[in-house]
Amino acid sequence: MALGRRIPRLSASLKRGLLKLGIAPRSARFRAVFATVGTLASADVLPGPMDAETVFPPGRAYVRRVPGQNLWVLFRFDATHVDVLAVRDAPPVPLEEGE
């Protein structure tokens, strides 16, 4: 059964990360990040097969690469929301099996 659309919640650290990486509003990189956010919000199943889990204090988060970009979006989710935590320009280290 499909869950339907989750509501995206954007963190302050996401905005700081975009600024730090020089990702300007309306730029191609900005649009690509938010297209990925939209894909996460509309996904029937999370995490998806292309998502990895990583350490993100406090606890853990999932990470998805932004298609066509050297950018990764870190997120957490529940049945109602997808919390977009950060954007990085280097791949986070995935958790090893059994951690």
Side-chain angles (χ1 to χ4, degrees):
M1 181 173 157
L3 291 175
R5 186 163 175 86
R6 289 177 180 87
I7 300 164
R9 294 190 292 202
L10 309 178
S11 71
S13 61
L14 173 67
K15 182 177 180 179
R16 285 191 302 269
L18 292 168
L19 291 170
K20 180 181 172 189
L21 296 172
I23 300 173
R26 296 182 299 277
S27 69
R29 294 177 83 199
F30 185 91
R31 288 191 306 272
V33 167
F34 284 94
T36 300
V37 170
T39 299
L40 291 168
S42 63
D44 288 336
V45 177
L46 286 177
M50 70 289 284
D51 300 328
E53 195 172 16
T54 190
V55 173
F56 189 82
R60 300 174 177 185
Y62 290 97
V63 60
R64 181 175 292 189
R65 186 172 185 178
V66 176
Q69 302 291 323
N70 190 33
L71 298 170
W72 285 261
V73 172
L74 284 85
F75 66 97
R76 294 185 181 120
F77 66 93
D78 60 26
T80 306
H81 297 95
V82 60
D83 295 307
V84 184
L85 307 170
V87 63
R88 304 268 171 84
D89 64 353
V93 177
L95 290 176
E96 295 295 324
E97 291 290 322
E99 273 192 49

